[in-house]
Structure formats: C-alpha cells, structure tokens
Amino acid sequence: MKDKTKKYSLFAGFIVALLLLISLPSYASGYRVIFVTNILMYVVLTLSWVIFSGPTGYISLATAAFFGVGVYTSAVLSGSLSLPIVILIGSLVSFCLAFVVGALTLRLRGMYFTMFTFALVQLINNFAHWYEVNITGTVGRLVLALDSTIIYYSILIVFCLVLIASYLIKRSRFGLALQSIGESEEAAAHSGINVTLVKVTTFAISAFFMGAVGAVMAMRWTYVDPPTAFDIRLSFMPLLMAIFGGMGNLFSPIIGSSIFAYLEEILTTKFPYYYMLLFGGAMLLVIVFMPHGIEGVLQRLQKNNKGESAKKT
C-alpha cells in the first residue's frame, strides 16, 4: 500500500512539474526561460546517457560527438528545412553514426571502450575543423536563429520523448536483456540474448536523443564552430550528473542533472575564474561522501527511519 502511495505521489509530482514547465514562458522572464532550457539540455543528455550506460555498465564518453553531429546537421539544414525535419534528420544522423560505431567497437570492454569513445569526439572534432578550413574555407557556420520560446518548447518535447523511451525500455524485455548484459555478458549470451545487437541498438537510441537536443541548441547559439559543437565537457557532464543523482530509477538522473546544471550556472556567472576548480572540488566531495549519489543518500535515510520505527515498536 505504501509503495502504491509513493508511486502515485511521484507521478502526481511529475505531472505538476510538467505543467509548470509547459506554462513557464507565460510567467517567467526571458532569462529564466533560457536558463531552464540549458537545464533541460543537460537533463536530456544525462537521461540519454543512462539509457545505455546505466544498465550495461559501459562508460561512454561519446556524448559530445553525437550532440555535435546534431548541431552541425542543424547548421547545414536550418535555412532550408522546417525545425521538426531538421531535428529529425539530426537525430537520425546521430543514430546511424552511433550504430556504425557501436557495431565496430562494442566488442571492446571496460577502459578500452571508454578510451575509444573519448577519441571519437576528438576525431570528429578535428575532421570537422579540417573540412571547414580546407573545403568550405570557413571556421564556423551561422545558424538560423529562432525565438527562445520555440527552442524551449522543442527541448521540452525532446525531454518528454526521452523520458518515455527510458521508461518503456526499462519496463520491457529489452530492458531486462540490458540488465542481464550488465550483470554478466556471458550468461546473457548463453540465455539466448543477441548481446551485440542489444548493445548496439541501445547505444544508437541514446545517440538519437543526443543528436536531437544538439540540433535544437544550435538554433539558440546562432553561430557554431567545431570546438563549440564538440565541446568535450558535454561528454563528461552527463556522466558526472548521472553519478551525482544515481541511476536506479528515472527521477534520480533528472534531479542530479538539474542540480548540477544549476550549480554550473551559478559558478560560471559568479566565479568565472575559479569555476572549474570549484566544480572539481564539489565532484570530489560527492564521490567521497555520496558514492551512490542522491539516490543512495535517500535510501540510507529511509533505512534509518525504518530502523528507528522498528526500535520504537
């Protein structure tokens, strides 16, 4: 009964939060809309990262690559196609790239896979820079600028889609296969799971949403170049946000990424010269004192409360 009440409370809270987000432009200033847009960008990237890396245990640092592919797709096509088509194409290009890369590399495990995904970002970044300088004769591209409200609602729609996808995958047989792979790939293969296909498909699905959010954000920046589009921080931030929030349920990564994104905004505006030092210090404290993130802290408090209640009775 308590579990059902808790689920209904979480669902009701989510609906209220979603309604507040939908109506945000009607009662918030332009700066706050842009600020929440940035937070939603990190939330989508973190949820997308967790779709693959959460259950499998594979640490991917390719987020910036797929995000940047979406950014550049938007930069090339935004002047000639409508926004939904541009977002869809950016998502599909990232999906296809991730599927090919995953098919080639997801036989690697552990640190080798992590190193390759990190190198992938640098490879695509340098290729884009070489192409711009030597083929197009530029160092960046102008992107069709859109109203901040349109960008906000586009990001919000992507957020809802990735949330639905995460929920459906987690509750499906596909999600059980991912959990099995994370526990033991050999046992999963012996039970009849096509391990490589499941990993590659999930990797591509996560990249689909990363490309979508990249395609949207490009139209807020209005000018992009390779260092901006393939910023390596966007590979590390979702990982850190997922660790901070926890990966045991859908809400923990959302909470973790929202708090971290808010912290980043405060530190970059008030302490621009000490931002990375303070951010690194905060992350070290989280790893030392909160190894399982906010989710672990809440679970510990819940156990302590149950223990105290049992003692009283």
Side-chain angles (χ1 to χ4, degrees):
M1 187 69 180
K2 287 184 178 179
D3 290 338
K4 284 187 176 180
T5 304
K6 184 179 178 182
K7 287 181 180 179
Y8 289 140
S9 299
L10 286 173
F11 181 73
F14 173 74
I15 294 298
V16 171
L18 185 59
L19 291 174
L20 289 173
L21 288 173
I22 291 172
S23 59
L24 180 72
S26 65
Y27 62 82
S29 63
Y31 168 76
R32 293 191 181 277
V33 171
I34 293 172
F35 179 49
V36 176
T37 300
N38 288 337
I39 292 177
L40 286 175
M41 178 193 77
Y42 281 118
V43 170
V44 172
L45 291 177
T46 304
L47 283 173
S48 303
W49 186 88
V50 170
I51 285 176
F52 171 74
S53 295
T56 63
Y58 279 73
I59 304 302
S60 170
L61 294 178
T63 303
F66 304 131
F67 178 89
V69 167
V71 168
Y72 259 86
T73 302
S74 183
V76 173
L77 300 177
S78 61
S80 55
L81 297 173
S82 62
L83 176 61
I85 300 299
V86 170
I87 296 173
L88 179 61
I89 294 174
S91 305
L92 290 175
V93 172
S94 296
F95 178 93
C96 293
L97 174 63
F99 196 91
V100 172
V101 169
L104 294 173
T105 64
L106 275 170
R107 302 177 193 278
L108 301 173
R109 298 188 185 182
M111 186 60 66
Y112 298 104
F113 176 75
T114 303
M115 290 171 61
F116 181 87
T117 54
F118 179 80
L120 177 67
V121 179
Q122 301 301 322
L123 176 65
I124 298 178
N125 182 10
N126 285 301
F127 174 77
H129 180 73
W130 173 86
Y131 186 87
E132 293 282 37
V133 172
N134 294 281
I135 305 301
T136 63
T138 62
V139 293
R141 291 176 179 269
L142 292 173
V143 187
L144 179 66
L146 292 179
D147 183 73
S148 59
T149 304
I150 295 174
I151 293 170
Y152 170 77
Y153 280 121
S154 300
I155 290 286
L156 186 59
I157 290 170
V158 176
F159 163 69
C160 292
L161 291 176
V162 73
L163 194 62
I164 292 169
S166 299
Y167 178 81
L168 293 177
I169 289 172
K170 195 175 182 68
R171 297 280 178 167
S172 67
R173 294 179 63 185
F174 196 82
L176 289 175
L178 286 170
Q179 292 289 347
S180 300
I181 291 170
E183 292 171 5
S184 173
E185 288 197 24
E186 291 77 10
H190 285 304
S191 67
I193 297 172
N194 190 333
V195 172
T196 302
L197 181 61
V198 170
K199 289 191 297 184
V200 171
T201 304
T202 312
F203 189 57
I205 291 171
S206 70
F208 179 90
F209 295 106
M210 294 172 185
V213 75
V216 176
M217 291 304 293
M219 298 185 190
R220 188 177 80 80
W221 293 337
T222 68
Y223 173 83
V224 297
D225 54 20
T228 302
F230 302 99
D231 186 352
I232 196 62
R233 289 185 308 160
L234 294 175
S235 284
F236 287 100
M237 290 298 285
L239 166 61
L240 299 178
M241 290 172 173
I243 292 172
F244 179 67
M247 292 176 274
N249 56 60
L250 286 178
F251 295 104
S252 297
I254 296 174
I255 295 170
S257 54
S258 299
I259 294 174
F260 244 59
Y262 180 79
L263 180 63
E264 183 194 36
E265 179 71 16
I266 296 299
L267 292 178
T268 51
T269 52
K270 294 190 175 181
F271 308 100
Y273 300 108
Y274 306 103
Y275 154 64
M276 291 305 296
L277 179 63
L278 293 171
F279 207 81
M283 195 60 218
L284 284 174
L285 291 174
V286 168
I287 292 172
V288 172
F289 296 105
M290 299 168 57
H292 300 290
I294 294 173
E295 182 182 5
V297 173
L298 294 175
Q299 289 176 351
R300 201 181 312 138
L301 291 173
Q302 191 174 11
K303 286 182 181 179
N304 291 338
N305 290 333
K306 286 183 179 179
E308 290 177 3
S309 300
K311 287 180 181 179
K312 289 179 180 179
T313 55

